[in-house]
Amino acid sequence: MWGDRMWHFAISVFLIELYGHNLLLTAIFGLVVAGSVLLLGALIGDWVDRNPRNKVAHASLFIQNTSVTVCSIVLMLVFSYKKWIEEIWDGWLTVVCYTVVIILADVANLASTALTIAIQRDWIVVITGYNRGHLAGMNATMRRIDQVTNILAPLAVGQVMTLASNVVGCGFILGWNVVSLIVEFIFLSRVYRIVPALSVKPPAMEHQSYLEKKRERRCLKGRTSSCPAPAISEETSSGLHLQEMTRIPMCIQRLRGLLSTCQEGWRAYYRQPVFLAGLGLAFLYTTVLGFDCITTGYAYTQGISGSLLSILMGVSAVAGLLGTVLFTKLRKAFGLVNTGVISSALHMLCLLLCVCSVFAPGSPIDLSVLNIGNVSDVGGMTGGHQRHGYPLRGGINQPLLPDRSSIHWTNNTVLFENAPAGTEPESYISIILLFLGVITARVGLWSFDLTVTQLLQESICESERGVVNGVQSSMNYLMDLLHFLMVIAAPQPQHFGILVIISVLFIFTGHTMYFLYARKAKRKPRTNT
């Protein structure tokens, strides 16, 4: 997790530095990452289901760390010889380097997604012996580790980049990945040996995934229904089937197989009893109410200094940790499903403060500015204050795209030293209410996230655990893309109040889906262990 947080922070800064403090490369990277997981999430999950656990973990770990290492080497070369590279092939070598960096970073993210599904959605369930109490404690502990590294890791690599240079920062990440690859490989192997249950999967799963078996049954059913048994023998039927297959080029056959796997993966996701809960969690990703570049950029235009924002970010992390504690207490007292209901209510109640901030004194909301001519870049949120962009000097680097390894709105932002001159609002009541709501909502948000995570772990059968969680990752990325499209459509600070209201509506819809699931789940008798 520490390596992931450092890398996701650094790559955003590196891409801005490469393109002359412009957001284009960062935006392209975000679209590529989100699009690839959206399209390949089911395939990644199916691959996790189809292979032994140790091979999946080791392969994902190797691919991830190797991709980051090679990407760091490319970045070091580009930063060191940028002027020389720009003169080769009329500048096209620079474009090739940018493309290689984005592709390698995307491959690393896909491998990280596979590793997350394997370890945090499958291994943990087996390690805890399917005991719900132990599973809740393990999930909460993992999330606390994630929250702490979410603050400390970017600060650490940011200091290296600030005190030394971007080249040294790349070298630091490179060295970290080489060392951590060895350490993680050894530790994962040891855990795999200590827990014999990890080596056991349903017999057919070692060689054949659930989706493949289902497709075969469907094909057999289709052939038997269309061809009467007396009229044609089994050998003749299989021979005709093979003859038909040989007429289709191999590449088209593989493409059809991949598309069929994706289709079956989404169907498997839809069939799950916790489908509404998972979909509700995905809806919570369509929000600007978090410590990502959008909200912090808006706060910057409202006269909030970087030092204050960094303090607020720390308080938000503490609130997230309290959410993990609340989850364990509520689950023990009221049960898992009721914990989600209470967490949802708490989350929505706190977000009402954000809605109030839209109409409070000091709010810059102005509905008259909503027109196509006002659309600008997603990262700025500075509107007419474009002279106050995102300079990358000293210790003020800021990531512009969130990380996706779990709920992803609490990303670290190393903030601006001073608020831009002349942007102080008439009153600070609005911005105070906004951040009060965002920070306090973290308690209910993280408790709710842990609730749905455990529901997915408990309810999904082992043969579908990978593919369903892969589709869940795809849904999360899809809904997160919508929040960036919202900002593209309404990028000015005067628009932010509208984005807040839309975000709350999406979150309300997500929690409503969970309430429907909870109502349905309570009607069924459940046995607690």
Side-chain angles (χ1 to χ4, degrees):
M1 287 181 179
W2 186 281
D4 278 351
R5 293 302 186 180
M6 285 200 308
W7 173 245
H8 282 287
F9 172 84
I11 187 63
S12 297
V13 176
F14 290 153
L15 290 176
I16 297 172
E17 287 279 11
L18 284 177
Y19 208 66
H21 298 182
N22 190 290
L23 303 176
L24 179 61
L25 276 185
T26 309
I28 292 174
F29 172 66
L31 290 174
V32 169
V33 166
S36 60
V37 178
L38 179 61
L39 295 175
L40 303 177
L43 296 177
I44 293 172
D46 185 53
W47 176 73
V48 172
D49 285 336
R50 201 170 57 239
N51 294 278
R53 291 187 173 97
N54 61 334
K55 292 184 179 180
V56 169
H58 291 157
S60 301
L61 183 64
F62 180 78
I63 294 172
Q64 179 190 11
N65 286 45
T66 302
S67 299
V68 172
T69 300
V70 176
C71 190
S72 298
I73 294 174
V74 175
L75 286 169
M76 291 174 69
L77 294 174
V78 173
F79 281 127
S80 300
Y81 305 101
K82 188 174 182 180
K83 291 184 179 180
W84 179 70
I85 292 174
E86 289 175 348
E87 296 174 357
I88 300 177
W89 301 343
D90 295 328
W92 282 102
L93 182 58
T94 305
V95 177
V96 172
C97 291
Y98 293 164
T99 304
V100 170
V101 167
I102 290 176
I103 290 175
L104 288 173
D106 184 47
V107 171
N109 185 74
L110 291 173
S112 176
T113 301
L115 190 61
T116 299
I117 293 173
I119 302 298
Q120 298 187 25
R121 300 295 183 267
D122 183 30
W123 281 43
I124 286 180
V125 180
V126 178
I127 289 171
T128 56
Y130 299 88
N131 183 289
R132 292 174 180 172
H134 294 168
L135 182 59
M138 182 77 81
N139 285 329
T141 301
M142 293 286 285
R143 196 54 52 83
R144 287 167 194 150
I145 295 173
D146 187 50
Q147 284 286 284
V148 173
T149 57
N150 195 29
I151 298 295
L152 299 180
L155 291 177
V157 71
Q159 290 302 311
V160 173
M161 294 160 58
T162 299
L163 299 176
S165 65
N166 287 325
V167 176
V168 176
C170 292
F172 179 75
I173 292 175
L174 188 155
W176 181 278
N177 275 272
V178 172
V179 174
S180 66
L181 172 61
I182 299 172
V183 174
E184 292 176 56
F185 193 95
I186 294 173
F187 282 6
L188 285 176
S189 299
R190 181 167 174 78
V191 171
Y192 188 78
R193 289 195 302 269
I194 291 174
V195 184
L198 288 173
S199 60
V200 179
K201 273 192 171 184
M205 289 298 299
E206 293 292 342
H207 306 289
Q208 188 179 40
S209 71
Y210 167 82
L211 298 181
E212 287 175 338
K213 292 186 293 181
K214 182 176 179 181
R215 284 198 300 271
E216 287 187 4
R217 288 197 301 268
R218 182 177 296 177
C219 290
L220 289 172
K221 183 178 179 180
R223 287 203 300 270
T224 54
S225 62
S226 59
C227 302
I232 188 168
S233 66
E234 183 179 347
E235 291 80 3
T236 305
S237 176
S238 60
L240 290 173
H241 181 65
L242 289 174
Q243 189 176 3
E244 289 180 6
M245 294 294 291
T246 54
R247 294 175 185 173
I248 304 175
M250 183 60 66
C251 59
I252 297 179
Q253 291 181 31
R254 291 182 177 178
L255 180 61
R256 288 175 59 182
L258 293 176
L259 292 176
S260 179
T261 299
C262 290
Q263 182 181 10
E264 293 296 342
W266 284 88
R267 287 180 177 175
Y269 178 72
Y270 175 75
R271 287 196 316 272
Q272 299 303 315
V274 291
F275 164 70
L276 282 176
L279 188 61
L281 177 63
F283 264 71
L284 268 61
Y285 279 75
T286 308
T287 180
V288 296
L289 300 174
F291 278 92
D292 61 3
C293 59
I294 306 303
T295 307
T296 52
Y298 169 75
Y300 183 58
T301 66
Q302 298 303 298
I304 303 299
S305 66
S307 59
L308 178 56
L309 275 171
S310 62
I311 294 173
L312 293 174
M313 184 178 64
V315 175
S316 174
V318 173
L321 293 174
L322 291 176
T324 64
V325 176
L326 178 68
F327 164 73
T328 56
K329 301 293 185 183
L330 290 178
R331 196 208 69 85
K332 194 174 294 184
F334 301 103
L336 189 60
V337 175
N338 289 332
T339 297
V341 174
I342 298 172
S343 301
S344 295
L346 179 60
H347 188 206
M348 285 301 306
L349 186 64
C350 294
L351 289 180
L352 291 179
L353 293 173
C354 299
V355 177
C356 294
S357 73
V358 176
F359 307 101
S363 174
I365 186 170
D366 182 7
L367 301 180
S368 65
V369 298
L370 274 177
N371 58 71
I372 298 177
N374 287 328
V375 174
S376 62
D377 64 281
V378 58
M381 289 301 298
T382 54
H385 306 292
Q386 291 184 1
R387 64 182 183 278
H388 305 297
Y390 296 133
L392 296 171
R393 310 185 298 270
I396 54 177
N397 298 315
Q398 177 173 3
L400 296 172
L401 287 173
D403 167 34
R404 302 292 190 270
S405 60
S406 54
I407 292 275
H408 313 291
W409 317 306
T410 57
N411 309 322
N412 295 286
T413 313
V414 183
L415 301 152
F416 305 94
E417 291 176 345
N418 299 297
T423 59
E424 291 79 5
E426 297 177 358
S427 173
Y428 286 96
I429 295 177
S430 176
I431 197 70
I432 290 173
L433 287 174
L434 176 68
F435 276 97
L436 188 62
V438 169
I439 291 172
T440 55
R442 281 293 180 269
V443 179
L445 170 65
W446 285 104
S447 179
F448 178 77
D449 171 56
L450 284 169
T451 300
V452 178
T453 296
Q454 183 157 344
L455 285 171
L456 291 170
Q457 291 169 331
E458 292 181 4
S459 303
I460 301 171
C461 65
E462 190 173 357
S463 61
E464 296 181 280
R465 195 174 288 157
V467 69
V468 172
N469 279 287
V471 175
Q472 180 68 47
S473 297
S474 297
M475 283 299 304
N476 296 345
Y477 273 90
L478 174 62
M479 302 308 293
D480 190 70
L481 272 177
L482 290 181
H483 113 268
F484 278 100
L485 294 176
M486 283 164 42
V487 179
I488 291 174
Q492 306 290 349
Q494 296 88 342
H495 301 156
F496 192 77
I498 300 171
L499 300 182
V500 168
I501 295 174
I502 295 175
S503 298
V504 172
L505 290 176
F506 268 94
I507 293 171
F508 177 77
T509 302
H511 286 312
T512 301
M513 291 179 181
Y514 181 83
F515 290 148
L516 293 175
Y517 160 77
R519 181 184 177 186
K520 185 177 181 181
K522 288 179 180 179
R523 292 178 179 176
K524 298 180 180 179
R526 293 177 61 93
T527 58
N528 295 321
T529 59

